[in-house]
Amino acid sequence: MEKKDKKKGWFSRLKEGLHKTNDWFSTLFNKDGINDAFYEELEEAMILADMGMDTAERLLDGLRDKVKEQKLTERADAKNALALLIADAVRTDKPFMVDEGPAVLLIVGVNGVGKTTTIGKIANEYALSGRKPLIAAADTFRAAAAEQLGEWANRAGVPMVRHQEGADPAAVVFDAIASYRAKACDLLLVDTAGRLHNKKNLMNELNKIRRVIARELPDVPCEVLLVLDATTGQNAVAQAEAFLEVCELTGVILTKLDGTAKGGVTVQISDTLKVPIRFIGVGEGIDDLRRFDADDFAAALLETDE
Ligand SMILES: Nc1nc2c(ncn2[C@@H]2O[C@H](COP(=O)(O)OP(=O)(O)OP(=O)(O)O)[C@@H](O)[C@H]2O)c(=O)[nH]1
Ligand SMILES: [Mg+2]
């Protein structure tokens, strides 16, 4: 019961965040008749919702087929059909290695997207579920980064390894791995400095971190998750494309879906880049992170019933 309430709370929070998008779709789906005008307006609403032209068109083609196949005449039925198509577009069947056993989770992204906050939330969630996380403060670049992360580590009751500001991030990770072994931890969470994909030295630094992990923990799978701020819309898509070119991403975390985000960018990232979305951030608090669930997300976006 409590779990259900919690899920509801989160679901309505996501819906609140997406209310602008919901409103467009609601207005559209409450009118009568499935005709050309409907498809045109729907395409416009999808693009306004940040789904991007290609994804919007792909989904519309799919919807046209479903409407024909199932002989749908009501917009309410078309809405449910679209929700299924959206859910399929954002679903993944790749297992999330962090849930499968000991793992490393490397968090990357540009400045200010929510990397450090998300590490704190993830550390808390896994500690509560009985895992033994350890945090590596590999953002040695920004002043006070380690202090900020240290506060999250305290809140989550999780140990953290840090060095002085300006130290080599790969050396922090090296020491964190020693500590991870000594303390018999089973989840290493690595926070990194905000970086632009076109800053070569920062990208090299990331690769150096990857090499240290691969060398020191060869049998432990490493997930590399890119954090994207959903309120930045198409810019988030561009960031994801750029990071995919220079490092091996295994997934994405979308933050700030409680804010002014229109949410459709989630569909576009998953559909066009084929990287699984693993978590979404719906607030600044330690509990405001949730597993990404394809069906819940599609329902929240279109405001269909769960
Ligand atoms: N509303 C909202 N705010 C968030 C969310 N996630 C993070 N934030 C806020 O975003 C701001 C930046 O978060 P950080 O975690 O410091 O971001 P970062 O990527 O580590 O930033 P740098 O280390 O400077 O690159 C903070 O004010 C967070 O509270 C979210 O899901 N929702
Ligand atoms: Mg940070």
Side-chain angles (χ1 to χ4, degrees):
M1 183 65 196
E2 198 184 304
K3 198 165 175 211
K4 177 100 183 150
D5 283 351
K6 201 172 169 192
K7 186 177 170 197
K8 277 274 176 238
W10 162 72
F11 191 69
S12 55
R13 192 121 190 223
L14 175 63
K15 268 191 185 174
E16 264 167 47
L18 298 176
H19 71 92
K20 212 190 285 169
T21 309
N22 293 154
D23 289 349
W24 290 324
F25 287 121
S26 295
T27 313
L28 183 61
F29 284 109
N30 282 335
K31 293 186 205 157
D32 285 331
I34 299 178
N35 47 27
D36 285 347
F38 163 69
Y39 285 117
E40 267 168 40
E41 275 182 61
L42 182 55
E43 178 164 18
E44 208 173 302
M46 286 165 123
I47 290 166
L48 279 173
D50 256 342
M51 285 187 200
M53 195 80 89
D54 291 349
T55 300
E57 276 174 13
R58 222 179 343 263
L59 286 168
L60 274 181
D61 287 346
L63 182 63
R64 279 200 176 89
D65 291 347
K66 290 271 181 269
V67 165
K68 253 190 225 150
E69 259 168 52
Q70 299 169 9
K71 302 195 171 53
L72 306 179
T73 54
E74 301 294 327
R75 289 195 186 186
D77 296 327
K79 180 173 166 175
N80 289 330
L82 181 61
L84 290 176
L85 288 168
I86 289 177
D88 285 343
V90 296
R91 206 187 306 282
T92 182
D93 51 13
K94 277 193 203 129
F96 183 45
M97 295 318 288
V98 171
D99 292 328
E100 305 288 304
V104 179
L105 183 52
L106 180 61
I107 297 288
V108 302
V110 307
N111 293 93
V113 287
K115 295 178 294 298
T116 303
T117 306
T118 303
I119 292 245
K121 293 170 177 176
I122 290 177
N124 188 57
E125 179 187 323
Y126 280 94
L128 284 176
S129 75
R131 292 282 293 268
K132 287 192 74 184
L134 181 133
I135 299 176
D139 177 0
T140 56
F141 185 71
R142 189 166 61 79
E147 279 76 13
Q148 182 197 357
L149 189 60
E151 280 173 26
W152 282 107
N154 281 341
R155 245 175 273 170
V158 163
M160 182 179 97
V161 170
R162 61 172 293 188
H163 283 186
Q164 293 301 311
E165 200 182 314
D168 178 1
V172 177
V173 172
F174 184 85
D175 281 356
I177 291 173
S179 197
Y180 167 95
R181 283 208 196 91
K183 291 182 159 65
C185 292
D186 58 15
L187 176 58
L188 179 64
L189 302 169
V190 184
D191 190 24
T192 62
R195 69 195 67 224
L196 281 175
H197 52 87
N198 57 7
K199 290 272 176 346
K200 212 168 178 325
N201 55 336
L202 283 172
M203 295 318 288
N204 287 341
E205 187 185 283
L206 214 52
N207 286 325
K208 192 169 164 197
I209 293 174
R210 290 281 332 245
R211 283 200 302 276
V212 169
I213 294 167
R215 192 182 67 219
E216 299 300 317
L217 295 173
D219 301 324
V220 179
C222 179
E223 289 267 356
V224 184
L225 297 190
L226 174 68
V227 180
L228 297 168
D229 174 343
T231 62
T232 62
Q234 294 306 300
N235 198 0
V237 180
Q239 283 166 28
E241 282 169 344
F243 269 85
L244 267 174
E245 273 174 28
V246 288
C247 66
E248 270 174 61
L249 294 180
T250 60
V252 162
I253 297 173
L254 275 151
T255 58
K256 312 191 193 182
L257 271 166
D258 52 309
T260 54
K262 289 178 275 179
V265 71
T266 313
V267 188
Q268 192 185 355
I269 282 170
S270 184
D271 181 52
T272 59
L273 306 177
K274 304 289 174 221
V275 279
I277 293 166
R278 294 304 189 184
F279 296 99
I280 58 177
V282 291
E284 296 182 273
I286 201 159
D287 288 326
D288 295 329
L289 181 88
R290 288 297 173 269
R291 297 303 171 110
F292 182 73
D293 180 280
D295 298 300
D296 283 356
F297 180 78
L301 194 69
L302 290 188
E303 220 167 348
T304 51
D305 290 325
E306 272 177 281

